[in-house]
Amino acid sequence: MGAIALAFFVRIPQDSPKIATVSIDDKTLAFEVVDTPELRTQGLSGRKSLLPNTGMLFVFDTSDVYGFWMKDMFFSLDIIWLDNNFTVVHLEQNVSPETYPSVFIPNEKALYVLEVNAGVSNELHIEKGTQLEVVFK
């Protein structure tokens, strides 16, 4: 009886999310990185929740004043704007889906924006001027 050769090909999705970790004091959170106009536009819209200790990290090409809204959101967030040194320049806490169509705009330019579950920034004592450690994987 002849041998049968089988070949299995595993496709690794090219659109697998990029990940970054954000550390403050002794706590580390994992963030999905969104760094294209399409991914930034979609953001967390339509998702039902965020797992604990996770979030979304928006990466922009240049520092500017980026507004965020809660279009198609199902849960509340803390939104944290960071400068190019990962220092908090603005923070909006407990932003609920009911605030749509209001747009939340920082007072200063930012290069990065973090979205985390509502209450996380308070729990981790994040405020304007807080320095975060961000590592891109």
Side-chain angles (χ1 to χ4, degrees):
M1 194 163 202
I4 299 175
L6 297 175
F8 293 95
F9 296 94
V10 177
R11 181 181 176 278
I12 299 173
Q14 296 301 314
D15 57 351
S16 294
K18 297 175 190 172
I19 302 296
T21 59
V22 176
S23 299
I24 179 169
D25 296 330
D26 62 347
K27 184 86 167 185
T28 300
L29 293 85
F31 285 81
E32 180 179 342
V33 175
V34 291
D35 57 1
T36 66
E38 297 79 19
L39 291 173
R40 288 189 297 256
T41 298
Q42 178 62 39
L44 290 169
S45 295
R47 295 196 191 180
K48 298 295 181 194
S49 65
L50 265 177
L51 293 174
N53 301 318
T54 67
M56 185 165 278
L57 172 60
F58 294 76
V59 178
F60 293 93
D61 297 326
T62 59
S63 291
D64 208 338
V65 178
Y66 297 103
F68 277 67
W69 63 2
M70 297 296 283
K71 184 175 188 223
D72 299 325
M73 288 296 298
F74 295 101
F75 55 97
S76 297
L77 295 172
D78 290 348
I79 307 171
I80 306 163
W81 286 260
L82 308 170
D83 67 12
N84 60 322
N85 295 314
F86 305 111
T87 300
V88 176
V89 296
H90 190 81
L91 171 69
E92 294 286 344
Q93 295 178 303
N94 200 27
V95 180
S96 73
E98 291 76 26
T99 62
Y100 178 77
S102 296
V103 178
F104 297 88
I105 301 172
N107 300 322
E108 298 180 41
K109 290 183 179 183
L111 186 59
Y112 308 97
V113 176
L114 299 174
E115 290 185 337
V116 294
N117 283 312
V120 168
S121 61
N122 192 40
E123 173 187 324
L124 297 178
H125 309 289
I126 296 172
E127 56 190 31
K128 186 174 179 178
T130 300
Q131 180 75 45
L132 302 179
E133 179 184 331
V134 178
V135 177
F136 292 91
K137 303 283 181 170

